[in-house]
Amino acid sequence: KAGVTQTPRYLIKTRGQQVTLSCSPISGHRSVSWYQQTPGQGLQFLFEYFSETQRNKGNFPGRFSGRQFSNSRSEMNVSTLELGDSALYLCASSRDLGTAYNEQFFGPGTRLTVL
Amino acid sequence: DQQVKQNSPSLSVQEGRISILNCDYTNSMFDYFLWYKKYPAEGPTFLISISSIKDKNEDGRFTVFLNKSAKHLSLHIVPSQPGDSAVYFCAASAYYSGGGADGLTFGKGTHLIIQP
């Protein structure tokens, strides 16, 4: 069974631009969560999508948004990029809603660098 | 304020010995705890979990212990092997009675190095 895939793997953008990251979950998984990993803050939860609806949201500004399609694939968008948005963005999929009692499988991440 | 803390950024253990990784949490609503392992250039991989109704869970060489009164959990790896060298993240989640849960809250990780 194919794992979680994320594209692109690496991305370089400049301040003020916007970016879209893509995540394809494991076949049969209906939940997709996004996390940001930085050296200072560690891994932080961004949001979770299930059945094309955002179900949970972390403490991030509105510049961070996402969506989920009917095939469970998800995209994450960051608008008006800031230097502090440079991070590894990880996507995780699970069979059902919620991170408790549902094993989450992580993709390899997209490394975003903002110049 | 960090709700999940891993106070040791790194830990070095000899091959064959026991590795003990520690994690503390402050949010009493957390009721599900997990350990993830991460190699460079890969996403975290689920290792083992424990529900708050238990105090111990074993899976092969890996055992997680939960002390709810102390808000502390630990991961024991016995015996430690070279392939265990990685960054280990402790994570916690709060389960809603109506279904679903918050996203995982992670500690900052402990880099475990197994010395031959």
Side-chain angles (χ1 to χ4, degrees):
Chain A
K1 193 151 105 167
V4 178
T5 56
Q6 291 187 245
T7 56
R9 292 292 311 276
Y10 302 91
L11 207 46
I12 299 175
K13 292 283 188 180
T14 55
R15 276 184 299 176
Q17 286 188 307
Q18 68 94 26
V19 68
T20 300
L21 313 181
S22 181
C23 172
S24 292
I26 291 171
S27 177
H29 284 194
R30 297 183 296 165
S31 168
V32 173
S33 297
W34 289 89
Y35 294 83
Q36 181 196 64
Q37 185 181 18
T38 58
Q41 299 298 320
L43 268 158
Q44 292 185 288
F45 172 71
L46 279 154
F47 28 64
E48 178 182 15
Y49 283 86
F50 182 83
S51 293
E52 302 176 62
T53 305
Q54 188 181 92
R55 301 301 182 115
N56 287 304
K57 192 176 191 305
N59 190 24
F60 278 82
R63 298 186 298 107
F64 291 82
S65 63
R67 58 178 176 167
Q68 186 180 35
F69 302 95
S70 58
N71 61 359
S72 294
R73 192 176 71 83
S74 176
E75 286 182 349
M76 190 195 106
N77 185 76
V78 187
S79 62
T80 320
L81 283 166
E82 300 176 0
L83 294 179
D85 297 333
S86 294
L88 180 68
Y89 290 88
L90 290 158
C91 162
S93 77
S94 60
R95 196 169 295 279
D96 294 307
L97 171 65
T99 53
Y101 311 102
N102 288 309
E103 183 179 340
Q104 291 200 299
F105 295 81
F106 283 82
T110 294
R111 172 73 62 187
L112 171 66
T113 302
V114 182
L115 302 175
Chain B
D1 179 38
Q2 255 195 293
Q3 297 186 65
V4 177
K5 294 179 189 177
Q6 293 178 256
N7 291 319
S8 300
S10 67
L11 176 67
S12 185
V13 174
Q14 262 199 315
E15 183 179 355
R17 302 279 198 141
I18 183 171
S19 294
I20 300 175
L21 294 95
N22 293 303
C23 177
D24 296 297
Y25 62 96
T26 57
N27 187 343
S28 56
M29 297 301 292
F30 288 146
D31 56 6
Y32 189 65
F33 304 89
L34 311 91
W35 285 93
Y36 280 84
K37 176 178 174 179
K38 187 178 187 299
Y39 293 118
E42 294 182 14
T45 303
F46 170 78
L47 206 52
I48 192 168
S49 63
I50 187 165
S51 160
S52 60
I53 61 172
K54 292 186 167 185
D55 53 22
K56 178 181 171 182
N57 189 25
E58 275 181 274
D59 184 1
R61 296 185 298 114
F62 303 93
T63 303
V64 56
F65 294 92
L66 175 63
N67 182 334
K68 276 180 19 184
S69 60
K71 293 193 177 68
H72 176 83
L73 64 154
S74 61
L75 174 68
H76 292 210
I77 306 173
V78 184
S80 301
Q81 299 174 354
D84 296 331
S85 293
V87 178
Y88 288 78
F89 291 96
C90 168
S93 185
Y95 186 70
Y96 303 139
S97 58
D102 286 335
L104 292 174
T105 301
F106 283 86
K108 292 196 176 180
T110 296
H111 185 193
L112 176 64
I113 302 157
I114 305 301
Q115 308 271 13

